[in-house]
Structure formats: structure tokens, C-alpha cells
Amino acid sequence: MKKWIVSFIAVTFLAGCGVETPKESSSETDTTKDKTILYSGTVIDFGETHTDGLFVSDLTPLDSTEAASFDEVILLTEEVSLVDQQSGERIRPSELVNGDTVQVTLGEYAPVTLSLPPQIAGIGIVKIEKISNQ
């Protein structure tokens, strides 16, 4: 009799371990992933000092005062597309020169290192657009 009771309790316990909790609805998850912040900054250096990054100064948010701004930051651009805003076409990194103004679209929670200068990983960068030559 004890074996039956112990077996019943063991089966009940193991069956309860496989129960999954309900996941968040996809609409909630999609809205948090899609939030972005538009920044504007000036190119200081591209590829000369920092081979895989775009060195930008005065990177400030255009629409949101709650977002962080950066005096200087390195954008790690390894897999990020660079676009000319006027033509809408992709450009080569070598077409950016010191003094160019760029608009950078970052994810709301883009990862930023605590190094000096800070670095923003390509995973947090949605797009970089060249605005003007100076």
C-alpha cells in the first residue's frame, strides 16, 4: 500500500514539473523591441584610430530629453548599414569624413560599455545616416 501512495505522489510531483507558465503576448513583446531613439552627432574619426567603429562627438537625442547623450562615443559598426539620407542609398564607411553630421537610430535599451569613451555595440544600432559634409 505504501508503494502505491509513494508512486502516486511521485507521479503527481513529476507531472506538475512539466507545467509551463503562460508567456507574454506577442504584441507586448513586439512593442518593446521596436522602440528606438533618434540621435544626431558629428563624426570625429572613422577607421583611423578605431578600426571597427565610428567615433562620434555630441551624440544627442533629437526627440527625447529622457535619453542619455554622449560627449564622445564609439559606434561599433561592423554589421550596421550606413545610408546617405538624401539618396537613400548605402554608402561605404570610407565616404564618411571628419566633420560629417550623422543621424543614428538606436534601440531604446542599446548596450553601452562603461569604458572611456563609451562604446555602443552594433546590436543596439538600427541605422546610421549621413546628413551632410562640412
Side-chain angles (χ1 to χ4, degrees), residues 5 22 62 69 79 99 105 114 134:
I5 294 173
L62 295 178
S69 62
E79 298 194 18
T105 306
L114 294 177
Q134 301 251 341

Side-chain angles (χ1 to χ4, degrees), residues 50-68:
H50 307 283
T51 56
D52 293 327
L54 175 63
F55 200 7
V56 178
S57 68
D58 301 322
L59 191 67
T60 55
L62 295 178
D63 297 331
S64 173
T65 57
E66 294 178 14

Side-chain angles (χ1 to χ4, degrees), residues 4-19:
W4 286 100
I5 294 173
V6 171
S7 296
F8 177 74
I9 291 172
V11 168
T12 305
F13 177 74
L14 291 175
C17 290
V19 175

